[in-house]
């Protein structure tokens, strides 16, 4: 590929690597520092779900695009991206190496919206077959060797109401089991596998218990999730810890035996967004329970959640949302956010999988999982064929070729990715390129810490999460 080869040089030194993280008890852990790790992320899917096809480059295939976006995200201060739709047959070495050098981890969905590439919410047994599993395992093979691969999502919002809660749970948990068994057989390290749930309070707690329980309470149960994440949009504008219901989330997950974090957040009412929830997510109360979160989303699509606009020529224009989020991240005390030690007391134990865990009438309380479909046991044992393979590579150019503009149209000069030192992750200020808001643009408006409120919590969260533009695809597991 000409674009990729132009970025690489035979004499370039190998890019430095972020420290490999682990999911330990109910937090992410950095073995190099002994500290807990908080995800400060952004959802990354240029072109949206509709832009993904088997014949076009996926989000991590074009090095020039990744270089452009890694520079912008590095200045923003994020340390992780979530990528939804990936093609295991494409090469991701350059993009993975660029994001790695920029100090960013990758949270990866193994599904896609294409037919046969996801577990469906309607009649899930019809989509659970060997060729589908082979495709998800190929994603594991393609990304397992990158040190900045943080985790795999076995599903995304496959359960989004009581009806799907009646049929989907055993199949969604079986997918977690199958992926974990494949990782155990074919990866050099234990890459976490978990589920990304819709914040629908009618079924949220049952969904959580269904994934975080273990047979006989034993964490070695391969179907026991390594993590649980949720897509939550209940904090809108100048809300608060209690008005948004974030206090209920903190209370509900406080005894989790696995890491819990927001796999999507960022209500877009009002717009532009002011992201006052950032101070709460990385505040004392929530950091004891949560491991950070991922803002939805990087590029502006029809659903109006973007931090940047992308033009047809590949140029970028920063939106007010970008400056506001940057302002909120800049207020955080990163030594405190990333410097906390794991709790000294005994780790929470997973509950035993049994029907009394389930409290919602109609939600599936049967923990007997479907057996593997024909041919799948052989794939898990022998590995996929052909087998994709990825590795970090040398990168010689760190300056984007695309034009990047402020919201007022002024061009931003001298922006590049700053290659971080070995074992270093990104944080605000490490790349100090001047991406400041033009005069008159709001930045980080509103209080960044949870404000007290006498109002009761919302109790139920509306699925603001998957904006209307994706509604027609809501039955598919791997959606954004």
């Amino acid at each position: 590929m000409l674009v990729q080869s132009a970025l690489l040089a035979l004499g370039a030194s190998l890019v430095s690597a972020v420290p490999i993280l682990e999911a330990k008890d109910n937090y992410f852990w950095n073995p190099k520092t002994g500290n807990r790790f908080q995800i400060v992320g952004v959802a990354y899917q240029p072109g949206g779900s509709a832009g993904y096809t088997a014949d076009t480059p996926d989000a991590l295939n074009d090095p020039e695009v990744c270089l452009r976006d890694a520079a912008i995200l590095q200045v923003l201060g994020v340390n992780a991206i979530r990528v939804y739709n990936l093609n295991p047959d494409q090469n991701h070495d350059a993009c993975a190496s660029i994001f790695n050098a920029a100090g960013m981890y990758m949270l990866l969905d193994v599904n896609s919206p294409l037919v046969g590439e996801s577990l469906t919410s309607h009649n899930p047994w019809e989509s659970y077959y060997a060729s589908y599993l082979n495709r998800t395992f190929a994603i594991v093979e393609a990304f397992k060797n990158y040190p900045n691969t943080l985790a795999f999502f076995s599903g995304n919002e496959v359960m989004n109401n009581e009806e799907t809660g009646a049929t989907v749970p055993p199949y969604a948990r079986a997918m977690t089991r199958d992926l974990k068994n494949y990782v155990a057989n074919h990866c050099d390290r234990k890459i976490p596998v978990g589920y990304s749930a819709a914040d629908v309070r009618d079924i949220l707690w049952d969904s959580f218990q269904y994934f975080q329980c273990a047979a006989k309470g034993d964490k070695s149960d391969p179907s026991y999730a390594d993590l649980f994440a949720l897509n939550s949009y209940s904090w809108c504008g100048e809300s608060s810890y209690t008005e948004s219901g974030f206090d209920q989330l903190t209370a509900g997950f406080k005894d989790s035996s696995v890491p819990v974090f927001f796999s999507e957040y960022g209500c877009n009412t009002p717009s532009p967004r002011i992201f006052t929830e950032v101070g709460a997510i990385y505040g004392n109360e929530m950091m004891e329970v949560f491991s950070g979160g991922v803002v939805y989303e990087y590029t502006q699509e029809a659903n109006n959640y973007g931090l940047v606009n992308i033009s047809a020529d590949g140029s970028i224009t920063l939106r007010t949302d970008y400056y506001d989020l940057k302002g909120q991240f800049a207020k955080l005390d990163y030594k405190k956010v990333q410097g906390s030690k794991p709790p000294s007391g005994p780790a929470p134990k997973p509950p035993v999988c049994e029907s009394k865990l389930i409290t919602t009438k109609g939600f599936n309380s049967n923990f007997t999982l479907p057996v593997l479909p024909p041919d799948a046991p052989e794939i898990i044992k022998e590995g996929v064929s052909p087998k994709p393979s990825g590795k970090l590579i040398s990168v010689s150019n760190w300056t984007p070729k695309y034009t990047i503009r402020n919201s007022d149209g002024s061009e931003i000069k001298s922006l590049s990715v700053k290659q971080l030192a070995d074992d270093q992750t990104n944080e605000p200020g490490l790349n100090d390129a001047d991406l400041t808001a033009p005069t008159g643009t709001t930045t980080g408006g509103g209080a960044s810490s949870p404000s007290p409120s006498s109002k009761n919590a919302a109790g139920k969260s509306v699925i603001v999460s998957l904006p209307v533009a994706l509604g027609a695809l809501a039955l598919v597991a791997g959606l954004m």
Side-chain angles (χ1 to χ4, degrees), residues 7 17 40 53-54 107 119 186 195 215 246 248 308 313 340 355 359 383 421 443:
L7 280 173
V40 183
T53 72
L107 297 156
L119 188 70
H186 300 283
Y195 179 74
F246 273 30
Q248 293 186 359
V308 305
D313 63 358
S340 65
S355 59
T359 60
T443 55

Side-chain angles (χ1 to χ4, degrees), residues 85-425:
N85 307 318
L86 292 161
N87 186 335
D89 297 327
Q90 295 181 7
N91 187 290
H92 306 101
D93 289 350
C95 283
S97 299
I98 289 166
F99 281 109
N100 170 78
M104 298 178 209
Y105 294 91
M106 301 181 295
L107 297 156
L108 306 173
D109 288 68
V110 299
N111 299 287
S112 94
L114 301 185
V115 175
E117 296 187 0
S118 61
L119 188 70
T120 56
S121 297
H122 177 68
N123 295 347
W125 52 89
E126 295 178 353
S127 57
Y128 182 66
Y129 43 80
S131 61
Y132 161 56
L133 290 177
N134 188 86
R135 195 263 179 195
T136 66
F137 300 154
I139 293 290
V140 173
E141 288 287 354
F143 286 89
K144 69 180 185 181
N145 293 330
Y146 304 130
N148 56 330
T149 295
L150 177 54
F152 296 111
F153 288 121
S154 58
N156 180 67
E157 297 194 354
V158 198
M159 297 172 286
N160 48 36
N161 54 36
E162 292 183 24
E163 182 181 2
T164 53
T167 57
V168 172
Y171 290 90
R173 183 165 172 134
M175 278 302 305
T176 301
R177 172 200 66 192
D178 301 343
L179 282 161
K180 287 187 64 175
N181 282 334
Y182 193 91
V183 167
N185 286 349
H186 300 283
C187 297
D188 293 334
R189 63 183 173 100
K190 183 182 177 183
I191 304 173
V193 177
Y195 179 74
S196 174
D199 183 8
V200 181
R201 303 292 166 91
D202 288 341
I203 63 168
L204 175 63
W205 304 118
D206 287 330
S207 299
F208 170 58
Q209 295 290 15
Y210 200 93
F211 279 99
Q212 77 122 10
C213 72
K216 300 180 181 179
D218 185 354
K219 287 187 175 183
S220 65
D221 173 6
S223 65
Y224 167 69
D226 296 319
L227 58 88
F228 186 85
L230 69 156
N231 303 334
S232 181
Y233 294 79
S234 62
W235 186 306
C236 297
E238 292 279 9
S239 189
S240 73
Y241 183 57
T242 52
E243 287 178 345
S244 64
F246 273 30
D247 61 335
Q248 293 186 359
L249 293 176
T250 305
F253 290 118
K254 69 180 177 62
D255 294 322
S256 173
S257 62
V258 298
V260 176
F261 62 95
F262 292 103
S263 41
E264 292 176 9
Y265 75 90
C267 170
N268 65 353
T269 304
S271 180
R273 296 179 285 177
I274 54 177
F275 295 108
T276 53
E277 66 266 56
V278 166
I281 293 171
Y282 302 100
N284 291 336
E285 288 179 290
M286 295 195 73
M287 279 206 303
E288 289 184 4
V289 175
F290 281 81
S291 292
V294 176
V295 170
Y296 187 84
E297 63 180 320
Y298 179 62
T299 56
Q300 176 73 347
E301 311 296 343
N303 48 27
N304 193 34
Y305 282 82
L307 301 176
V308 305
N309 290 323
I310 299 183
S311 300
D313 63 358
S315 63
I316 291 280
T317 301
L318 306 182
R319 294 170 55 82
T320 301
D321 292 48
Y322 177 92
Y323 304 116
D324 286 350
L325 182 59
K326 184 173 180 288
Q328 296 289 11
F329 283 161
K331 295 177 185 180
L332 299 176
D333 180 350
Y334 260 71
K335 289 184 178 179
K336 187 175 182 180
V337 170
Q338 301 295 1
S340 65
K341 297 295 182 183
S344 56
K349 295 181 179 179
V352 176
C353 290
E354 49 190 351
S355 59
K356 69 179 183 180
L357 284 177
I358 306 304
T359 60
T360 303
K361 183 180 180 181
F363 194 95
N364 197 307
S365 60
N366 182 359
F367 291 92
T368 301
L369 305 185
V371 298
L372 283 165
D375 300 327
E378 198 169 45
I379 300 172
I380 291 177
K381 180 181 178 182
E382 302 296 334
V384 300
S385 181
K387 186 176 293 186
S389 179
K391 65 182 184 299
L392 293 185
I393 59 173
S394 302
V395 178
S396 61
N397 175 47
W398 299 102
T399 303
K401 74 172 186 179
Y402 292 105
T403 300
I404 300 168
R405 298 182 178 88
N406 282 305
S407 58
D408 64 356
S410 59
E411 186 173 341
I412 298 169
K413 304 288 188 179
S414 303
L415 176 64
S416 62
V417 170
K418 179 179 179 180
Q419 186 177 357
L420 301 186
D422 211 30
D423 292 332
Q424 189 175 19
T425 58

